[in-house]
Amino acid sequence: MALKPLDIFKYLPKTNCKECGYPTCLAFAMQIAIGKADLSQCPYVSEEAKQQLASESAPPIKTITVGNKEKINLGGETVLYRHEKTFYNPPGIGVLITEDMEDAEIENEIKNIVEFKYERVGVVMKGEFIGIQDKGKGRFIELVNKCYQTGKNLILISDNVQNLQQSLDLCKDVKPIIFPNDTKDEILKLVKEFSLPVVVKGENLDELAQKVDKIKNYGIEEIILYPENKNIKEIFKNIVLIRRAAILRRIKNFGFPVLTIPAFLTDNYLEEGIYAGIFIAKYGSIILLSKIRGEILFPLLIERLNIFTDPQRPMTTPEGIYEIGKVNENSPVFVTTNFSLTYFIVSSEIENSKIPAYLLIQDTEGLSVLTAWAADKFNAETIANLVKKTKIGEKVKKKVLIIPGVVAQIYGELEEELPDWKIILGPREASHIPTFLKSVEL
Amino acid sequence: MEDVKLKYTGKIREVEIGVGDKKIKVGGQDCLNFHTFEGVIPNPPVISFEVWDSIPEDWPESCLVPYKDVINNPVEWAKKCVNEYSAKCLTIFLNSTDPNGLNRSVEEIRPVVEKLVEEIDIPMIFWGTGNVQKDIDVLKMVCEVASGKNVGVGPVVDKNYKQIGASAIAYKQVVVASTPIDINLAKQLNILLLELGVPENKIIMDPTIGALGYGIEYTYSVMERDRLAGLLQGDDKLAFPLYCYLSKEVWKIKEVSIPENIDFKLGKEKERGIMFEALTGILLLLAGADIVVIRHPETVKLIEKLIMDMK
């Protein structure tokens, strides 16, 4: 939670010694509040004050970091709705391997979670977790070892202390999450010894809160809540109430990341995908599926990317030349701004037209066409500069440049700036591009 | 845990579409969608099927298959939705009137509208092409032809709300007010419609949607804000049911139509499309949608089951 400058100021020595690099203690406090300075820059602040401040400024939901090669933050959220600020830490998505699955099936799922990666707007999207469930078949350790080799983050679902102990000897460096059915003492001892996160389950919130108390008394601080239920309606209710209790009431026992397992809710993998889709938007921190299939994983990863986009900072596409379809020297050139949505929509409409074209993207700091034009960041001059800078003219013979219909005002000036190009005014709406391309004389 | 339940002060208006025992009610809830643990949702969200008055050119194969036998006959198509897929609501897309396409005149399509009104007894929403001028003529005709049937007409926008609104008032139809992903514009159009004299139980909002991967986060947040304004902040000018024409946005995106053999990591094409449509639908329902327009019958099944499970 963001602290106000005065909340911070009260812990400072108020001597204005300037040793922190700022003229006064108050100025220093203001810089800390906006995240530009760190309390440790003050040599005089007491250890106690540091701790106090850290706990006051901690997000109402604890951030738990797991993993080694593929580190991931869980929790750390501060709001109920993304428009209030943003959601910070996208839920980890993974697959649940159980000991009673066929070997070939296990191999396949492990292969899929490792191989299925997708790139979008410069972000690599992939699943991060493997959950391994002990069913007493004697090969838990073998499976843990297999999954550990992938470098993915692990959740060890077992009540067998010996199995857990042996697994940890293998994989403790990825900081696996321990998920016992029953929080018995020997397991908690192990969790504490290795400083690992532990999953606490409960069918209702009272049960969860009580169990969290017990575990906290053990000195375990990293807890993951699992609202267990067979019924999606009940889980939804509990998960919403947990988030509200943490954010609105700052009830500490609910201020933890939440585990969800759609794999346990249905045998239909499409339905499972839908439940996962709900948990991405509504407050899941880990989502375990029964199988990793591209037709489910890919849309879910896109949903996650969308929902966890910072609403205060639009996503952008890098400036440059994009080829849509099999372009050649007679292909027309479209130009637009680098707001990702603009890029996606324009590029997919050109694609829909089945007429290959170049798409020139100008860096407008993520502004859409009209906004960028109004801010004077997308005009005849900037477009002409981009055309020259990218040397797009060397790729085409006919030199046809299509500009967005909404910036008709710059048409004349652009003709003057680019005398060897034929400038064409495109449609006002991207959805009219296919019709436009079919009717226009290029 | 009672104290973390929200105390809602507002309520979404209840709007009826259709007549007789098959009419539907949407809205009427005094809490967020699916939050039955802290409020009352008298009318769970409704799925509306797509019926076109001309053969769709850009639908992927998997969406055409279920309708192949009726694709060139909107009346039969509508009947198939009702009889085979148990549709509770239809959106009739009068796409043949598009000046950039077939450009059929109002008189040319009038007989089809008449036949639909005569033969289909479930609620219908008639949808123009978004051409401001043409939609005036087309939707005015629909209002007149469907007199007494309490149908929906849209998209009604700030540039044609007077003409279409007046017709809707005269023939007692429901207006679907469409604005481009913006809470203030949405509120403004509602106010204009109310001032024009459209009864408050005859307005539905279309917030305009972006599909999964294509701007859904904007729609999602605008709709959440619409709902919170209506339910928690007492802004009754936003407390109207929400209608989302999402199928159109979903099925045209390129990732939905990439064959599995081009990129095996994208998985099965048909199921991927259904997943894109279903996840878009689920997000919009979570954000507050009361009516979602869905194209694929299998997506309908999945979403219908979820709506039942969450009831």
Side-chain angles (χ1 to χ4, degrees):
Chain A
M1 280 311 268
L3 281 181
K4 293 189 185 72
L6 284 181
D7 298 331
I8 301 164
F9 181 66
K10 65 181 184 218
Y11 293 110
L12 299 179
K14 305 180 188 70
T15 53
N16 299 337
C17 70
K18 303 185 179 58
E19 284 179 49
C20 60
Y22 296 91
T24 63
C25 289
L26 186 60
F28 179 51
M30 288 169 90
Q31 293 302 308
I32 296 175
I34 57 169
K36 290 217 167 135
D38 193 272
L39 191 64
S40 62
Q41 286 167 253
C42 174
Y44 303 106
V45 68
S46 71
E47 206 45 50
E48 195 192 346
K50 271 185 202 163
Q51 270 174 21
Q52 187 65 28
L53 209 53
S55 89
E56 277 180 38
S57 63
I61 294 173
K62 192 177 177 69
T63 309
I64 295 179
T65 306
V66 297
N68 183 359
K69 282 184 213 132
E70 297 192 21
K71 270 205 170 64
I72 180 170
N73 290 331
L74 307 169
E77 301 300 340
T78 62
V79 293
L80 296 176
Y81 310 102
R82 60 188 291 283
H83 63 260
E84 293 176 298
K85 190 168 175 66
T86 184
F87 291 165
Y88 291 96
N89 297 312
I93 296 178
V95 65
L96 179 70
I97 303 276
T98 64
E99 239 189 317
D100 48 8
M101 277 161 68
E102 301 284 338
D103 282 345
E105 215 182 332
I106 293 176
E107 292 295 335
N108 191 39
E109 294 310 331
I110 293 179
K111 186 170 139 264
N112 287 355
I113 190 98
V114 172
E115 272 184 17
F116 287 8
K117 293 182 192 168
Y118 314 88
E119 203 184 316
R120 199 177 171 84
V121 288
V123 179
V124 176
M125 312 189 299
K126 58 181 191 311
E128 296 88 354
F129 275 95
I130 306 179
I132 309 146
Q133 192 176 18
D134 193 340
K135 295 251 182 175
K137 309 267 180 200
R139 57 172 178 157
F140 184 72
I141 315 292
E142 177 203 332
L143 289 182
V144 169
N145 193 22
K146 217 173 242 169
C147 297
Y148 170 69
Q149 305 299 331
T150 65
K152 294 284 169 195
N153 301 310
L154 303 180
I155 303 175
L156 308 180
I157 308 171
S158 174
D159 280 323
N160 184 320
V161 183
Q162 219 178 352
N163 276 353
L164 285 172
Q165 175 82 56
Q166 281 188 47
S167 304
L168 288 174
D169 290 339
L170 281 168
C171 69
K172 58 177 178 290
D173 65 306
V174 297
K175 200 176 168 190
I177 296 167
I178 306 300
F179 183 178
N181 192 34
D182 181 15
T183 45
K184 47 187 174 189
D185 290 350
E186 302 114 286
I187 292 184
L188 294 181
K189 241 180 241 161
L190 207 59
V191 166
K192 190 165 183 214
E193 183 191 332
F194 287 90
S195 309
L196 299 173
V198 65
V199 176
V200 174
K201 68 175 181 178
E203 281 195 31
N204 57 57
L205 300 193
D206 289 337
E207 190 186 339
L208 273 173
Q210 281 165 18
K211 288 193 178 170
V212 168
D213 266 336
K214 179 186 163 193
I215 289 176
K216 275 184 168 170
N217 285 340
Y218 248 91
I220 293 169
E221 285 173 5
E222 297 196 318
I223 295 169
I224 289 166
L225 306 174
Y226 175 52
E228 186 185 31
N229 211 294
K230 283 274 170 219
N231 178 333
I232 181 69
K233 188 176 161 181
E234 276 301 302
I235 301 179
F236 180 79
K237 170 182 122 183
N238 287 334
I239 209 166
V240 167
L241 293 180
I242 287 172
R243 178 70 159 254
R244 294 226 196 107
I247 304 276
L248 300 177
R249 299 277 174 264
R250 291 194 154 248
I251 300 174
K252 290 259 192 258
N253 279 9
F254 294 119
F256 294 105
V258 172
L259 168 70
T260 64
I261 312 185
F264 288 162
L265 297 178
T266 168
D267 294 329
N268 175 337
Y269 84 125
L270 294 176
E271 260 181 64
E272 220 186 273
I274 289 187
Y275 297 147
I278 294 178
F279 298 139
I280 287 174
K282 291 292 171 189
Y283 316 145
S285 301
I286 303 174
I287 299 166
L288 288 185
L289 302 169
S290 67
K291 42 172 98 55
I292 297 296
R293 296 289 175 274
E295 63 266 30
I296 304 287
L297 182 67
F298 176 65
L300 284 175
L301 290 172
I302 298 225
E303 181 191 339
R304 184 174 77 171
L305 185 72
N306 287 164
I307 292 297
F308 282 78
T309 296
D310 186 345
Q312 305 151 108
R313 262 189 306 160
M315 288 207 290
T316 60
T317 301
E319 182 171 282
I321 302 170
Y322 292 79
E323 295 178 2
I324 318 287
K326 289 203 170 63
V327 287
N328 61 43
E329 55 185 19
N330 294 318
S331 301
V333 180
F334 281 82
V335 63
T336 192
T337 69
N338 80 330
F339 177 33
S340 279
L341 200 52
T342 305
Y343 163 76
F344 278 136
I345 291 170
V346 173
S347 63
S348 78
E349 290 297 351
I350 296 174
E351 195 151 314
N352 283 343
S353 77
K354 310 262 185 324
I355 297 174
Y358 287 100
L359 176 57
L360 212 47
I361 294 293
Q362 191 206 307
D363 182 359
T364 52
E365 294 156 28
L367 297 180
S368 63
V369 173
L370 261 185
T371 330
W373 170 75
D376 214 20
K377 285 179 176 147
F378 187 68
N379 54 36
E381 201 181 324
T382 63
I383 294 174
N385 281 340
L386 183 69
V387 166
K388 287 167 195 160
K389 193 162 74 182
T390 56
K391 301 203 172 99
I392 180 75
E394 293 172 12
K395 288 186 186 278
V396 288
K397 221 163 52 184
K398 282 174 88 179
K399 299 199 176 170
V400 172
L401 184 65
I402 302 166
I403 63 171
V406 288
V407 292
Q409 290 89 339
I410 68 171
Y411 181 87
E413 210 185 323
L414 192 57
E415 274 192 319
E416 281 173 32
E417 293 264 359
L418 296 170
D420 52 339
W421 284 77
K422 179 180 173 190
I423 314 293
I424 295 185
L425 194 60
R428 294 177 63 87
E429 301 275 342
S431 58
H432 295 150
I433 286 177
T435 333
F436 163 82
L437 274 176
K438 274 167 207 140
S439 60
V440 74
E441 186 91 15
L442 294 173
Chain B
M1 293 311 295
E2 284 306 309
D3 67 337
V4 291
K5 292 189 177 166
L6 296 183
K7 308 275 184 292
Y8 300 97
T9 51
K11 187 173 172 180
I12 306 303
R13 287 184 186 79
E14 192 170 75
V15 175
E16 288 184 1
I17 312 175
V19 289
D21 54 359
K22 297 207 172 142
K23 74 179 175 197
I24 52 167
K25 292 179 185 176
V26 290
Q29 66 272 38
D30 62 7
C31 61
L32 293 169
N33 275 6
F34 302 144
H35 287 54
T36 44
F37 52 87
E38 57 189 8
V40 178
I41 302 181
N43 311 301
V46 171
I47 297 170
S48 187
F49 278 66
E50 254 184 292
V51 173
W52 285 34
D53 77 336
S54 55
I55 298 172
E57 280 180 7
D58 58 350
W59 284 25
E61 188 60 20
S62 76
C63 291
L64 288 173
V65 169
Y67 302 110
K68 270 222 163 118
D69 51 331
V70 293
I71 205 87
N72 52 11
N73 185 333
V75 180
E76 290 307 311
W77 185 343
K79 284 182 184 165
K80 184 165 190 179
C81 291
V82 178
N83 299 331
E84 222 158 283
Y85 299 121
S86 316
K88 311 242 172 0
C89 179
L90 301 175
T91 303
I92 312 292
F93 292 91
L94 302 170
N95 290 315
S96 72
T97 63
D98 188 352
N100 290 317
L102 293 174
N103 198 18
R104 281 192 195 137
S105 70
V106 172
E107 288 318 307
E108 270 177 282
I109 62 154
R110 191 184 180 104
V112 172
V113 176
E114 283 172 347
K115 208 153 182 229
L116 282 165
V117 168
E118 199 182 293
E119 300 196 12
I120 303 299
D121 61 354
I122 67 165
M124 287 184 284
I125 297 163
F126 287 85
W127 206 252
T129 59
N131 183 295
V132 172
Q133 278 309 315
K134 187 73 176 265
D135 281 354
I136 294 176
D137 303 333
V138 169
L139 297 177
K140 275 168 78 172
M141 177 274 288
V142 170
C143 285
E144 183 213 315
V145 168
S147 176
K149 294 288 184 171
N150 196 30
V151 300
V153 290
V156 173
V157 298
D158 59 351
K159 292 197 181 69
N160 62 16
Y161 80 94
K162 277 188 187 155
Q163 296 91 331
I164 302 172
S167 252
I169 296 169
Y171 295 102
K172 300 193 169 60
Q173 314 292 16
V174 175
V175 167
V176 186
S178 189
T179 47
I181 320 190
D182 185 289
I183 187 166
N184 295 317
L185 294 177
K187 184 172 171 177
Q188 180 63 19
L189 185 54
N190 291 343
I191 293 172
L192 291 172
L193 285 166
L194 290 167
E195 281 173 358
L196 187 71
V198 179
E200 55 179 46
N201 62 351
K202 295 274 187 189
I203 298 175
I204 289 175
M205 294 159 69
D206 163 25
T208 313
I209 77 109
L212 194 67
Y214 290 81
I216 193 160
E217 65 272 31
Y218 298 92
T219 313
Y220 180 81
S221 286
V222 163
M223 285 172 59
E224 264 194 343
R225 289 171 59 204
D226 284 341
R227 270 297 177 265
L228 292 171
L231 291 169
L232 285 176
Q233 293 141 28
D235 192 340
D236 71 338
K237 298 289 185 287
L238 281 165
F240 294 94
L242 287 160
Y243 166 93
C244 297
Y245 180 17
L246 64 99
S247 50
K248 168 187 155 198
E249 301 301 324
V250 168
W251 291 100
K252 74 176 181 188
I253 70 183
K254 63 173 183 244
E255 289 88 345
V256 158
S257 299
I258 299 174
E260 188 178 7
N261 57 21
I262 301 283
D263 184 354
F264 74 96
K265 288 186 296 186
L266 294 178
K268 292 185 195 150
E269 186 181 337
K270 178 183 139 195
E271 281 75 8
R272 187 190 331 128
I274 291 168
M275 224 38 221
F276 263 88
E277 188 172 39
L279 288 177
T280 303
I282 291 303
L283 282 178
L284 298 178
L285 288 170
L286 282 170
D290 296 285
I291 303 176
V292 284
V293 182
I294 303 286
R295 186 171 293 171
H296 204 292
E298 288 185 37
T299 317
V300 173
K301 268 193 217 154
L302 287 166
I303 294 196
E304 217 157 46
K305 176 162 188 302
L306 182 84
I307 291 172
M308 290 306 289
D309 286 348
M310 297 297 288
K311 217 163 118 178

